[in-house]
Amino acid sequence: MRRSRKVKILATLGPASSDEAMIRKLFEAGADVFRINMSHTDHPSMQELVRRIRSVEKDVGRPIGILADLQGPKLRVGKFADKSVALEVGQTFTLDDDPTPGDAMRVHLPHPEILASVQAGHRLLIDDGKLQLLAEEADGKRIICRVVAGTKISDKKGVSLPDTDLPVGALTEKDRLDLDAVLATGVDWIALSFIQRPEDLAEARKVARGRALLMSKIEKPQAVTRLAEIIELSDALMVARGDLGVEMPIEAVPGIQKQITRAARRAGKPVVVATQMLESMIEAPVPTRAEVSDVSIAVFEGADAIMLSAESAAGKYPVEAVSMMNKIAERVERDPTYSGIINAQRSEPEATGADAISLASRQIAETLKLAAIVTYTASGTTGLRAARERPQVPIIALSPVVETARRLSLVWGTHCVVTPDAADLDDMVNRACRIAHSEAFGSPGDRVIVTAGVPLRTPGATNMLRIAYIGSDGLRGL
């Protein structure tokens, strides 16, 4: 099965989409990668989801990627004597280290790192910004705030700190346990929540040891400030617009989305645009016109993948949501303005052999109107560099490593095929032509361009480019 689009679709699994039959329906509707949200999934359930995805993968004969999304630090206020209290704008309200139930004047904040880090003038956003507080005094044991907006607070509501750099890592004890568990099942990607600084990736990378790739979720102002450093140490990025829109002015989020997407593209690293893309389809069978435009903007921008969250995890119409996202993406990529927008954002290649070959293969393929670019990649690096060029023709990524093919299923434009390593150059060309024909990318007489590293099986040594005709039998190259 080949897709008629280059952008990938990432669908979150949950109560509405956890059985094997539904996972298959979501794949057939267009999902390329499945997300398991560890905020809501215990280890046995996660293991069963992975088993079901791999079963579907085996049935459909296509590599399917799995992303495990770690919860990250969850900062919450304590409880109230009456479960909730009414507040007034302008009043004083205190967050402190006293564990007794709260009232209309104060509440416990069970996070000493916040009490120690917040300073006068810092904002505290409660319950996704529905209540906004401004710190006026802070002494390490309590934060005396002024209510700026909002009139209610209740038990265990989340706290966001857009102005405060917390001296804690991105991994909690729960995350460490979850990380060990998901790595043991062989997931392909790990999403790290609430990254603030490049150092936040160090612990996860040390534990992962290459068994899965790391995706940094950009959802805090501190991460935007240090974006270049975080990109350098990440394998991929996610524009997590939900929390980003809470901690930063909501009107700034579209521009930040473009900034992150373009920076990731320049670096040749996958970027996912996420959160509320088809939010109304949680309850309705069709999206709003604004949501369709939102999805289309991410596709026009050249994002590698667009993601569904509650729409596919807990909504009433999970298959319809994936199908709708698929239709929007296909239509955008057929739009006459699409290629011009994509080309305008293309970056200069780096001074490496792999980038030179990727640039040349794109230019030749587009000039000669070839059927496909076929790239051999063991580690996935060659596939990533080919995708960075955003060619108009399809990219067929051939790999003898199934884990590589699964990881590349997140990457723009790549059609991944697991195949044994070629024996020699002739076998390489014949195999490329045969697969291009069997996967319906070309017909006998069509030409493809083949890139690889010589000598074979040398990681990161892409240095060969060859144009070949698909033979009349569709089984060999000429």
Side-chain angles (χ1 to χ4, degrees):
M1 177 188 294
R2 60 168 291 193
R3 305 295 191 198
S4 300
R5 54 173 160 78
K6 295 182 171 68
V7 69
K8 302 302 179 72
I9 294 176
L10 202 166
T12 303
L13 300 182
S17 54
S18 58
D19 65 81
E20 191 169 319
M22 178 57 76
I23 292 171
R24 173 147 190 172
K25 288 179 182 177
L26 294 178
F27 173 82
E28 292 172 345
D32 303 289
V33 181
F34 290 105
R35 170 178 175 252
I36 300 174
N37 187 353
M38 296 308 296
S39 296
H40 308 298
T41 310
D42 59 27
H43 293 178
S45 299
M46 176 272 297
Q47 292 160 355
E48 182 60 21
L49 285 174
V50 171
R51 187 199 66 76
R52 291 171 183 172
I53 295 167
R54 295 303 183 218
S55 177
V56 171
E57 178 184 66
K58 183 177 180 181
D59 287 345
V60 300
R62 298 283 308 125
I64 299 175
I66 301 176
L67 169 73
D69 195 336
L70 303 186
Q71 177 177 283
K74 287 296 184 184
L75 308 175
R76 300 183 185 278
V77 299
K79 294 185 176 182
F80 292 86
D82 296 323
K83 295 189 176 180
S84 67
V85 297
L87 303 177
E88 295 182 2
V89 173
Q91 79 164 77
T92 296
F93 188 75
T94 299
L95 308 174
D96 58 34
D97 61 0
D98 181 356
T100 58
D103 54 31
M105 299 304 295
R106 58 154 297 278
V107 71
H108 181 220
L109 184 61
H111 300 286
E113 67 274 18
I114 299 180
L115 295 172
S117 302
V118 169
Q119 301 174 16
H122 287 191
R123 291 168 295 161
L124 295 91
L125 309 178
I126 314 296
D127 192 14
D128 290 338
K130 295 181 179 68
L131 176 66
Q132 300 179 26
L133 307 176
L134 181 66
E136 295 188 331
E137 297 180 38
D139 61 9
K141 293 183 177 296
R142 62 177 183 167
I143 306 169
I144 300 174
C145 303
R146 184 75 55 190
V147 178
V148 175
T151 59
K152 182 182 178 181
I153 183 171
S154 56
D155 291 349
K156 309 294 283 185
K157 290 301 181 184
V159 181
S160 298
L161 303 157
D163 305 320
T164 308
D165 192 358
L166 294 178
V168 294
L171 292 183
T172 65
E173 186 56 37
K174 169 180 164 52
D175 292 331
R176 293 183 182 95
L177 295 173
D178 289 347
L179 181 57
D180 287 337
V182 298
L183 287 170
T185 65
V187 304
D188 309 294
W189 291 91
I190 305 291
L192 303 176
S193 298
F194 300 108
I195 294 294
Q196 295 186 91
R197 56 186 77 84
E199 295 83 2
D200 288 343
L201 286 90
E203 183 180 356
R205 191 166 295 285
K206 183 177 179 180
V207 174
R209 299 195 311 277
R211 290 177 288 169
L213 299 184
L214 301 185
M215 180 182 295
S216 294
K217 295 170 67 177
I218 307 301
E219 49 197 331
K220 293 186 72 65
Q222 294 86 349
V224 176
T225 302
R226 303 187 67 179
L227 183 62
E229 299 168 85
I230 291 172
I231 289 177
E232 186 174 352
L233 295 180
S234 304
D235 298 306
L237 297 184
M238 180 188 292
V239 189
R241 304 181 304 176
D243 285 285
L244 196 59
V246 171
E247 299 216 6
M248 301 191 74
I250 198 165
E251 65 273 15
V253 172
I256 293 170
Q257 175 178 315
K258 288 182 178 290
Q259 175 188 342
I260 297 170
T261 302
R262 294 186 182 190
R265 280 191 57 189
R266 284 194 298 273
K269 300 199 174 176
V271 58
V272 179
V273 176
T275 319
Q276 298 177 330
M277 301 209 80
L278 296 176
E279 184 85 353
S280 66
M281 290 193 74
I282 296 172
E283 296 291 338
V286 293
T288 67
R289 308 306 181 263
E291 289 167 341
V292 173
S293 294
D294 182 40
V295 173
S296 70
I297 287 169
V299 180
F300 273 120
E301 192 67 22
D304 288 81
I306 43 183
M307 190 177 100
L308 295 167
S309 298
E311 302 97 325
S312 59
K316 296 179 180 178
Y317 304 96
V319 176
E320 290 84 352
V322 173
S323 178
M324 177 57 66
M325 189 166 266
N326 181 70
K327 287 191 286 187
I328 296 168
E330 288 182 349
R331 186 58 179 263
V332 168
E333 292 183 8
R334 292 197 305 269
D335 190 277
T337 64
Y338 175 74
S339 61
I341 294 172
I342 291 293
N343 293 344
Q345 300 166 19
R346 187 172 284 130
S347 300
E348 290 296 316
E350 296 178 5
T352 65
D355 268 20
I357 293 291
S358 296
L359 171 62
S361 62
R362 174 185 63 79
Q363 291 175 329
I364 293 169
E366 292 177 355
T367 300
L368 299 180
K369 295 181 171 51
L370 304 185
I373 296 170
V374 185
T375 180
Y376 282 82
T377 179
S379 67
T381 302
T382 304
L384 285 169
R385 301 319 284 181
R388 179 180 183 268
E389 284 294 318
R390 297 296 192 262
Q392 295 176 17
V393 303
I395 302 168
I396 305 175
L398 306 183
S399 182
V401 183
V402 66
E403 291 82 5
T404 295
R406 289 167 175 166
R407 293 170 182 178
L408 287 175
S409 64
L410 182 77
V411 177
W412 187 96
T414 56
H415 177 84
C416 308
V417 177
V418 180
T419 180
D421 221 344
D424 51 37
L425 286 176
D426 287 341
D427 183 34
M428 177 184 295
V429 173
N430 289 338
R431 192 184 300 264
C433 291
R434 181 170 67 251
I435 291 174
H437 178 258
S438 66
E439 298 284 324
F441 286 94
S443 302
D446 286 342
R447 291 176 294 179
V448 299
I449 194 164
V450 184
T451 69
V454 179
L456 300 177
R457 294 171 287 279
T458 303
T462 303
N463 56 8
M464 188 210 77
L465 182 157
R466 179 169 169 180
I467 300 171
Y469 282 91
I470 300 175
S472 58
D473 58 3
L475 301 178
R476 58 194 174 89
L478 302 173

